[in-house]
Amino acid sequence: MNTPQEPAADGAAPDDASGAAAAGAAAPDPVQLQRLWTLVDKLDACFYVKDLEGRYLFANQALGAVFGTDPARIVGQRDDSFVDLAASGIGATDTQALSTGEKVATDEVVCMMDGTCRTFRSVKLPLFDAERRVVGLCGISTDITEQRRAVDELIERNALLNTILANVDAAIYLKDAQGRYLYANRPVLALYDRELGDLIGRTDRELMPPESAALVAEYDADVFAGEGGAVREETIVGADGNKHHFRSRKVKLQLPGQPTCLIGFSTEITELRGLRTRLEQERITDSLTGLANRVMFESALEEQLVMATLGGARLAVVIIDLDQFKYINNNFGQAVGDQLIQLVGQRLQQSNVVLGSLARLSGDEFAFTLPLAETIEEVAHQVEQIRAFLAQPYPVLRQPLHLTFSAGVALSRGSLHGAAELLGRAEAAMYSAKDNGRDQYRFYSPELGSTVARRVELERDLRAAVGTTVGTAEFALHYQPKMRRDGSIAGFEALIRWNRPGVGLVAPDNFIPLAEQLGLLLHLGRWVIEQACRQIAAWRDAGLGTIPVAVNLSTSQLTSAALPDYVFDLMREHRIEPGCLEMELTESMMMSDPDLAIAILHRLRSGGVALSIDDFGTGFSSMSYLRQLPVNYLKLDRSFVQNCAVDPKDADLCAGIMALAHKLDMHVVAEGVETAEQHRTLADCDCDLFQGFLFSRPMPAGAATEFLRGMH
Ligand code: C2E
Ligand code: MG
Ligand code: MG
C-alpha cells in the first residue's frame, strides 16, 4: 500500500503535463521526492493517484477533507466508499482518461453521501508503465464551488440584463461607425422581422427604403460627430411596409478596447402621433357635421382676407342661423335637432352657390364666405338663394319640418379688420335679422355696431348687478295692488326694477329676457321670491294683516326641479300662510318641458302657493290643457282689457273667458285696467279682480305700505 512517504515508484510529478514524459524521467533523488510529496500532501487542491480499478493509491489531505476522513483511509478504497457516484460525474472522466490515455481537463460535480455537492476543476493524467501501458491515473482537482457560484450569479445578472433589454418596449441597439448593427433587442428584431444573427452586421440601408435610411444615417452621423444626445423623431419603414414613428435618443459609446459605437434608445410614438393628428383635427373640425369649426374658419378667413386685400377685392362673410332651433330641440328632442344640423350642413355643401370656406360656428350657427360675389347685389342674391335652398322641408319626422333661417352679412373693407371682427359684424347683423322678426337677412351697418356695443354694456352691467344681488340696492321690487269688486285690496303683484348705475330705473322688459338668456334669472328669481316673503312678513308684523303678494316666474325657474323646496323653505322661515305667496307664469314658459313644469306647479300648489296664468289670451291657450294645470287665477291680458270697452265683440269674449274660468274654479284678474269704463265693462262681465293704473301704478315698498294703511 502506498503512503505519502512511500509514493508509487511510477507516479508522475503532478505538474508534469505529460505522463509519457514522466515515465521516461531518470529516478528522482529520494530526499527531494520526500519534500515534493510533503508539498503535494499540503496542497489546497486535491491530489490523488488511482489504479486501473479506480482504487486510490494515494490521496492528499485536501481530498481527505473533502471525503471527511483521514487520507490514509482513502488509500485502497474506491470512490463509491465516499461519494454518491450516481449523482457525480467522476467515473466518466476517470474512464475517459484511462481508456484514451489522454489528459482530461473538466469541471465535475462530486456529490457526497450526505447529498452535498461540490464542483471541482479537475485535470486527470493517465499513468504509464515502461511499456507505455496505462496503469492508472493521477489527478488534481480544485474545489471551485464558490467561484462557480459567483460566475452563476454573474450569468444570472446578465440574464437579467438580457431579459430587460428584450422586454422593454423601447428599441435598443448598438451600431458601429459604419452603421452596422452590433446588437439589437427584441423590438428592433420585430420591427425588421429578423433574427438577431441575421441582423448583426447589416446596415439600415439593407433594411429599409433608401430615403428613410438616409435620414436615420444623418442622425447617426451627427451622433458620431459629437452632436447627438438630443432627442429626435425618426420615421422607420418596418418589414410590414408601414411607417413607424419613433422618438430616439442616441449617444456615442466608447467601450474599453473597442472602436466607438452608438447606442440608441427609440420609443415608438406612431399611435401617439396618430392621436396628436386626430386631436389637431378635432381642434379645427366640428364633430357633428364634419365641417370646419370656428377656429378653422377664422384662420381660413384671415388668409382669404389677405388674398382679397392684395387683389383689391371685397370679401363677404355670412352667418346663417336656424330660427327657433331651441324650440325644435325642446319639442322633438336633441337627436332630431342634431340630425337637422347635419342636414343643414350637407345642404350648405350641396348648394349651387359657390362658398369659399364653410363652417359650423356653434349650435345652429353656420358661417361661409362668398368669393364669387363682387357687388352687394350679388351677395344679397346669393344669400337669398342659399336661404331658399335651406328652407326646403327637412324629412326628419313623419311630417317634413319647415324651417326658416336668419342671416347676417359683413363685407370686408381693405385690410381694415381681421377675421374675428368681421365675424362679429356678421353675427351682429344676423341678430338684427332675428330681432326684426326672423326669416330674413341683414347687412352689417355701423348703427348695428352701436346696438351691439350697447348690448355688450348691458350684459356686462347686468352680470355685475346679479353677481352682487343679495344685499345690494341695484334691484328692488315695486308693488302694484290688485283690487276686488268692492274696492278692497286683494293683494299686490311684485314687479322687479333695476336701478342701473348711471342709467336709472330699468323696466323688466328691458333686462329680464337678457338675464334669462345669460342664465342669470334663476339666481335673480330666488332673490325676488325671498324679497316678496320678507315683505309679506313685514306687513304682517306691522299689523297690516295677511297681504298676498304675487311674484313673476321665468322659464328657467319652471324647469328647475329644486324650486318648490326652496320656496317652501322660505315660506317656513318667514311663516308665510298658505295662499299668501302667489306665482305668475305664462303659458309659453311651460313649453320647454311641459311635464316637468306641470309637476313643479303641482308641488307648489300642494305646498300652499297660489298660481296664476299671466298674460292670458296671448298664448295659444287650449282650454283642455288649462284643465290640467293646478291654477287659481287667470290674468286677462291688457290687450283684451283695452279693447273690451270699445268693441262689444271683445266684451263678449271676455265674458266667455270669465264664465269658462269660473267653471274651472279659477278667478279672473283683469290686467292693465286704465279707465273707469274698462273697469265697469269688466265688472259687468263678472271679472273678480282688477289691476292697473286706474288704481295704482307699481310703487316702491314704502309707498305700498302707505297704500295699505290708507285702505284700513
Ligand atoms: P306682467 O307680469 O304682465 O306685469 C304687468 C306689467 O304691466 C307691469 O309692467 C306693469 O307695470 C304693467 N302695468 C300694470 N298696470 C298697467 C296699466 O294700467 N297700463 C299699462 N300700460 N301697463 C300696466 P312691468 O313692471 O314693466 O313688467 C313687465 C313684465 O316683466 C311683467 O309683466 C313680467 O312679465 C315681467 N316681470 C316683472 N317682474 C318680474 C320678476 O321679478 N321676474 C320675472 N321673471 N319677470 C318679471
Ligand atoms: Mg305678472
Ligand atoms: Mg301680465
Side-chain angles (χ1 to χ4, degrees), residues 47 181 206 217 344-345 412 502 601 612:
F47 182 82
Y181 280 93
E206 299 167 62
V344 171
S412 74
L601 293 182
S612 309

Side-chain angles (χ1 to χ4, degrees), residues 309-616:
T309 311
L310 288 177
R314 274 186 169 191
L315 191 67
V317 179
V318 184
I319 288 185
I320 200 155
D321 189 286
L322 256 96
D323 291 330
Q324 289 181 304
F325 180 61
K326 212 172 174 180
Y327 173 81
I328 291 165
N329 254 341
N330 287 339
N331 284 275
F332 304 116
Q334 197 171 342
V336 171
D338 283 355
Q339 204 186 338
L340 259 180
I341 292 292
Q342 285 172 331
L343 288 174
V344 171
Q346 283 165 18
R347 271 202 200 165
L348 282 168
Q349 284 172 298
Q350 292 156 358
S351 146
N352 284 333
V353 177
V354 177
L355 307 182
S357 30
L358 168 64
R360 176 177 171 230
L361 298 187
S362 65
D364 55 345
E365 212 177 89
F366 294 84
F368 50 85
T369 52
L370 294 173
L372 297 188
E374 281 177 3
T375 62
I376 290 186
E377 289 72 28
E378 274 169 12
V379 171
H381 178 66
Q382 292 189 356
V383 171
E384 276 310 73
Q385 256 183 296
I386 290 171
R387 282 197 336 110
F389 184 52
L390 291 181
Q392 288 171 21
Y394 289 83
V396 287
L397 296 166
R398 237 177 297 153
Q399 287 281 312
L401 257 178
H402 290 265
L403 301 177
T404 60
F405 294 81
S406 299
V409 188
L411 299 171
S412 74
R413 214 173 292 232
S415 55
L416 270 184
H417 17 250
E421 192 187 345
L422 211 54
L423 261 182
R425 289 181 168 201
E427 212 151 26
M430 187 272 290
Y431 279 123
S432 150
K434 293 238 175 205
D435 289 347
N436 273 281
R438 307 190 181 97
D439 194 16
Q440 55 188 285
Y441 71 91
R442 280 278 158 123
F443 276 90
Y444 174 83
S445 68
E447 303 81 69
L448 257 182
S450 56
T451 313
V452 172
R454 274 203 300 278
R455 196 191 133 102
V456 169
E457 277 170 25
L458 182 68
E459 196 175 313
R460 185 198 56 209
D461 287 0
L462 192 58
R463 277 186 199 281
V466 175
T468 54
T469 319
V470 186
T472 69
E474 276 196 37
F475 292 102
L477 292 187
H478 282 195
Y479 298 87
Q480 187 178 34
K482 292 184 222 175
M483 313 304 288
R484 296 198 186 90
R485 294 165 68 94
D486 63 5
S488 63
I489 182 167
F492 286 103
E493 176 176 6
L495 296 155
I496 195 166
R497 301 287 179 264
W498 175 24
N499 193 359
R500 188 177 170 198
V503 176
L505 271 198
V506 184
D509 287 336
N510 295 328
F511 68 88
I512 289 287
L514 180 61
E516 179 80 301
Q517 245 181 50
L518 299 178
L520 301 172
L521 211 49
L522 209 54
H523 190 58
L524 193 58
R526 286 186 168 197
W527 177 84
V528 170
I529 299 169
E530 183 170 2
Q531 205 57 24
C533 286
R534 278 180 203 282
Q535 192 57 65
I536 295 169
W539 281 327
R540 178 197 61 216
D541 297 346
L544 291 166
T546 303
I547 311 294
V549 173
V551 295
N552 292 279
L553 287 185
S554 65
T555 309
S556 49
Q557 284 170 305
L558 270 181
T559 50
S560 159
L563 176 75
D565 287 329
Y566 176 78
V567 172
F568 300 154
D569 281 351
L570 280 174
M571 287 171 71
R572 254 191 307 277
E573 187 187 332
H574 296 281
R575 293 181 287 115
I576 306 296
E577 288 174 30
C580 205
L581 180 66
E582 297 180 7
M583 295 192 166
E584 301 188 1
L585 53 126
T586 62
E587 290 155 291
S588 63
M589 283 178 197
M590 317 230 354
M591 290 308 161
S592 77
D593 190 346
D595 293 340
L596 179 60
I598 290 175
I600 290 175
L601 293 182
H602 275 284
R603 285 206 61 208
L604 286 171
R605 173 76 191 264
S606 63
V609 177
L611 300 171
S612 309
I613 296 287
D614 207 348
D615 303 344
F616 183 78

